[in-house]
Every structure is written in C-alpha cells, then in structure tokens.
Amino acid sequence: MEIGAVVKGGSGLLYKTGNWRSEKPVIDYAKCTNCLICWTLCPDSAIVRKGNNVEVNYDYCKGCGICANECPVKAISMVKEEV
Ligand code: SF4
Ligand code: SF4
C-alpha cells in the first residue's frame, strides 16, 4: 500500500485482530445502561449491537481496553485470556 493511500471502507473485515489479545473485555449486563459509548469508541468495530444489547465480537477485539476505560458505569472488565 502506498503512503497516504485511502483504504476502502470495510476493509478491516478482512483482518481478524482477535488473536492479538492478552486480555478480553467482558460486559456485566446488570450494570450496562446501553449508552453505546463503547460501540462508538472501539477502534476495531468489535462492539456490535444485538437487539437491545451490545456484545463483543471476539474475532476482531484486539484487547486494547478502550471500551473498559471509557464505560461510564464500569460495566466492562478486562479479563486475562486463558492460554
Ligand atoms: S459503554 Fe458501558 S454502559 Fe455503555 S453500552 Fe458499553 S458497556 Fe454498556
Ligand atoms: S478491548 Fe478494544 S478492541 Fe476490544 S472491544 Fe474493547 S475497545 Fe474494542
């Protein structure tokens, strides 16, 4: 790819980043207010909407922890991956 090239929208679907993770986000639905902040901020679009809830698509979640840091009610915990 050339420097400064514009990447076609949706190309991230081709690159599964889930195997980069050492920790995974786990949502506590008893605390979640469905504010969608995590859905907005996830850099890999790995938070998806399912019905009235948000879910993590672990195929694309790289474990950066942004969602857990930014959740206003601390409904997301980062849990160590089992190896
Ligand atoms: S940021 Fe937190 S409260 Fe908001 S939808 Fe995500 S998990 Fe739920
Ligand atoms: S840990 Fe990072 S990549 Fe995974 S869902 Fe949260 S914000 Fe997205």
Side-chain angles (χ1 to χ4, degrees), residues 18-79:
N19 61 359
W20 296 5
R21 251 187 352 255
S22 58
E23 292 185 321
K24 66 177 179 183
V26 175
I27 300 171
D28 179 349
Y29 289 103
K31 290 184 184 170
C32 176
T33 58
N34 216 13
C35 69
L36 301 181
I37 287 176
C38 57
W39 175 75
T40 307
L41 296 180
C42 174
D44 284 76
S45 301
I47 304 268
V48 293
R49 297 177 72 180
K50 274 272 171 69
N52 291 327
N53 287 326
V54 287
E55 281 183 4
V56 181
N57 181 337
Y58 291 110
D59 283 345
Y60 295 97
C61 166
K62 63 188 172 194
C64 67
I66 290 174
C67 54
N69 274 332
E70 300 303 324
C71 173
V73 294
K74 299 293 172 210
I76 304 178
S77 305
M78 297 303 290
V79 176

